[in-house]
Amino acid sequence: MFDILPRYFYPAASPGAGPASAPRKPEVMVPIRSLGENHRARIARHLKALDAHDRYYRFGFAANDEQIDRYVNGLNFERDEIFGIYNRNLVLIAVAHLAYAPDDGANPGAEFGVSVLAQARGRHYGSRLFERAVMHARNVGVRKLYVHVLSENAAMLAIARHAGATFVRAGAETEGYLVLPPATFNSHLTELVEEQLAQANYQVKVQARQFRNTLSNLQSAWLGTDVGEKSD
């Protein structure tokens, strides 16, 4: 499932093809980029924008803002991988954390966690982030990807089950794992291409916002009123 080029790279079927190869509407690309130290504040804002119910699903308890700050301040961008999806206004609407288990040398593993803002639900961002995390984990030699999730979190359970994860329920929590195949040249190439596209998309959004801010400031100066858009 994950050893393929991104779905938006595949052409539609040629005219006259049989029913089995009927053309499908291509899926819209979702730019997912790796996040670094300079995104820490935006990650915190993203998590604090979650309501109590969503915080409960993400952390296993209804984390308050202080606890979120401690979590974000403790993120190790050198060790783990953080992936994010930005909207056109550079708001971080979805974030995934791929946390590597202590290296025992024999069977390296990692744990996956994800959150999506309420207004961005229904667009399969959680699934896309899971696929991105699986691909990266494969490429760095991880053999098992673990998911610790509340048993009532049907959305996350469905994402992992669809990928082939095996689950064991223990009370209010469910623990699952997905055995990952070895990396291939194709998986490395796919990740490289996706990351480059996501970086380029992010820069376009930055430039577009700068243009909007400049235009807004010019309009404010022209009208003599302060209607400018504040930037981060």
Side-chain angles (χ1 to χ4, degrees):
M1 173 181 177
F2 299 104
D3 192 17
I4 55 175
L5 285 172
R7 286 166 289 200
Y8 40 86
F9 287 159
Y10 287 103
S14 58
S21 58
R24 294 189 308 173
K25 183 179 179 181
E27 295 189 37
V28 177
M29 174 190 171
V30 178
I32 299 173
R33 65 161 297 175
S34 299
L35 304 181
E37 181 72 37
N38 57 322
H39 299 264
R40 197 184 292 270
R42 286 175 174 167
I43 295 171
R45 285 200 295 272
H46 164 82
L47 293 171
K48 289 178 182 179
L50 300 173
D51 62 22
H53 181 266
D54 292 334
R55 294 184 188 193
Y56 175 63
Y57 272 8
R58 174 60 183 86
F59 297 103
F61 61 96
N64 58 34
D65 287 355
E66 182 180 351
Q67 290 167 323
I68 286 176
D69 283 332
R70 284 202 297 269
Y71 164 78
V72 174
N73 291 335
L75 290 174
N76 187 334
F77 292 93
E78 295 296 325
R79 181 195 63 206
D80 297 340
E81 293 293 335
I82 317 294
F83 301 105
I85 299 174
Y86 279 98
N87 67 9
R88 63 186 296 269
N89 296 314
L90 295 183
V91 174
L92 201 52
I93 55 176
V95 175
H97 184 184
L98 184 64
Y100 297 110
D103 186 9
D104 59 9
N107 195 17
E111 183 176 347
F112 175 82
V114 67
S115 54
V116 180
L117 295 186
Q119 65 267 29
R121 304 271 167 78
R123 305 174 192 174
H124 307 291
Y125 289 159
S127 297
R128 297 294 182 88
L129 284 164
F130 189 75
E131 292 178 7
R132 181 73 168 83
V134 165
M135 180 165 53
H136 182 80
R138 285 181 59 192
N139 288 341
V140 296
V142 170
R143 300 307 305 274
K144 281 188 177 182
L145 183 62
Y146 293 90
V147 180
H148 296 278
V149 60
L150 294 171
S151 299
E152 61 200 83
N153 191 347
M156 189 63 241
L157 289 172
I159 289 171
R161 282 200 177 104
H162 182 70
T166 300
F167 283 97
V168 176
R169 181 169 179 172
E173 295 189 359
T174 299
E175 178 176 321
Y177 68 90
L178 179 66
V179 177
L180 306 182
T184 64
F185 172 78
N186 199 24
S187 67
H188 282 288
L189 178 61
T190 300
E191 181 174 23
L192 176 63
V193 171
E194 289 194 358
E195 182 64 27
Q196 291 299 317
L197 289 173
Q199 294 281 359
N201 177 271
Y202 180 81
Q203 292 305 318
V204 168
K205 289 174 179 174
V206 170
Q207 293 170 7
R209 190 179 68 165
Q210 290 173 344
F211 174 78
R212 291 196 302 270
N213 289 346
T214 300
L215 182 61
S216 180
N217 290 335
L218 288 173
Q219 290 174 333
S220 298
W222 179 263
L223 297 173
T225 57
D226 184 16
V227 295
E229 179 183 355
K230 294 182 180 180
S231 60
D232 292 339

